[in-house]
Amino acid sequence: MTAAAREPDTDDVFRALADPRRRQILRLVAREELAAGEIAAAFDVTRTAVSQHLTVLRSADLLTERRDGTRRLYRANPDRIAALRTALDELWASSLDLGRRLVEAERDAGEGSTR
Amino acid sequence: MTAAAREPDTDDVFRALADPRRRQILRLVAREELAAGEIAAAFDVTRTAVSQHLTVLRSADLLTERRDGTRRLYRANPDRIAALRTALDELWASSLDLGRRLVEAERDAGEGSTR
DNA sequence: GTCTAACGTTAGCCACAACTGGCGGAAGAG
DNA sequence: CTCTTCCGCCAGTTGTGGCTAACGTTAGAC
């Protein structure tokens, strides 16, 4: 059975961050709001491509959008990064305390794990 | 060929973690070594597919491989996760701790922002 | 009203990533 | 030696993500 733990939130964030361009965009708007056009100007791909990246980032809730006339200002949402760090810890949840894990490794003889 | 001519950079790690299946694999071997076959048994894809996932994870240095006869035992490499957290911090370098960032946001008028 | 600027959206193309199936090599059992 | 198990590698197919180009929409200037 592959019901698999559903984690759309985490998955979206991971996938969004998997692209180098998107990470760069995120860096651009980490500290200041930038308009879509300004962001696009930082790359040599078309404005459309950047717009799609922005959509992906926004879907993952990594960006906040603010409209100012015809312009749309974007800014990174740090809360999401914090959430991602939590997700990383959860990924490692089975052995959160690393020190203990290493000790366990030394004497990995006894294990009562169910799978 | 020089040993380890390939140093897994941030991109590799992000891309490797972008796939839900790979994350699940990582969780499986977080605390105990598992053979490739055992890992494959946990999914309903073919053994080959899992083997390829393992290769990707190993390329990102997220796994360590140990051979025992015909079997190959895999285990997660926690150091890489730690490195990833560092990368996240760098991504967020301009506003590392949330508390301070929020305060900053409150008074972001102090910045050169003209709005 | 018209015109322009700044965006997002859609359709289609192309490259890559994930999958399946078949093959071959290495280690242990007989 | 043969036979089996365990596993990675290769070839081929399918699905998906990122790209461009053309179009639609909104807001402001005239």
Side-chain angles (χ1 to χ4, degrees):
Chain A
M1 185 165 340
T2 58
R6 174 102 172 102
E7 41 181 12
D9 233 21
T10 307
D11 200 42
D12 289 337
V13 176
F14 267 114
R15 270 202 333 126
L17 287 177
D19 190 292
R21 246 176 270 263
R22 269 180 235 131
R23 283 194 304 255
Q24 201 170 344
I25 289 177
L26 221 43
R27 253 184 238 111
L28 281 178
V29 296
R31 41 190 321 181
E32 58 178 344
E33 278 183 328
L34 284 181
E38 298 178 286
I39 299 173
F43 302 91
D44 56 350
V45 293
T46 61
R47 190 177 49 72
T48 306
V50 173
S51 180
Q52 288 169 343
H53 281 309
L54 289 173
T55 300
V56 173
L57 287 169
R58 199 178 24 185
S59 295
D61 204 20
L62 282 164
L63 288 184
T64 61
E65 179 192 304
R66 186 171 72 89
R67 309 174 79 128
D68 173 42
T70 68
R71 303 168 37 162
R72 309 201 180 181
L73 302 175
Y74 292 95
R75 162 176 244 165
N77 176 14
D79 296 341
R80 274 297 156 199
I81 294 286
L84 180 59
R85 299 185 86 203
T86 302
L88 278 182
D89 290 344
E90 268 178 30
L91 186 73
W92 235 242
S94 41
S95 57
L96 258 188
D97 46 335
L98 293 185
R100 162 111 61 190
R101 196 194 67 76
L102 288 175
V103 174
E104 245 178 89
E106 296 300 296
R107 54 174 178 187
D108 66 328
E111 270 298 321
S113 144
T114 67
R115 206 237 211 144
Chain B
M1 177 98 100
T2 60
R6 167 141 192 80
E7 182 173 352
D9 53 1
T10 309
D11 201 41
D12 289 328
V13 178
F14 268 114
R15 262 197 345 118
L17 288 176
D19 190 294
R21 242 175 272 264
R22 283 195 284 261
R23 264 177 284 147
Q24 201 169 345
I25 289 177
L26 222 43
R27 253 185 238 110
L28 282 178
V29 296
R31 46 185 314 183
E32 55 180 346
E33 277 184 328
L34 285 180
E38 297 178 286
I39 299 173
F43 302 90
D44 57 351
V45 293
T46 60
R47 189 179 50 70
T48 306
V50 173
S51 180
Q52 287 168 342
H53 280 309
L54 290 174
T55 300
V56 172
L57 288 169
R58 199 179 25 187
S59 295
D61 203 20
L62 282 164
L63 288 183
T64 60
E65 179 192 305
R66 186 171 72 90
R67 308 175 81 128
D68 172 41
T70 69
R71 304 170 45 175
R72 308 200 181 184
L73 303 175
Y74 291 95
R75 157 175 262 173
N77 175 14
D79 295 341
R80 274 297 152 196
I81 295 286
L84 181 58
R85 299 184 81 199
T86 301
L88 280 182
D89 290 346
E90 271 178 26
L91 188 72
W92 232 243
S94 43
S95 55
L96 257 189
D97 58 329
L98 291 187
R100 194 160 120 211
R101 195 201 67 77
L102 289 176
V103 174
E104 248 179 86
E106 294 299 295
R107 56 174 176 187
D108 68 329
E111 285 298 310
S113 152
T114 66
R115 194 71 52 197

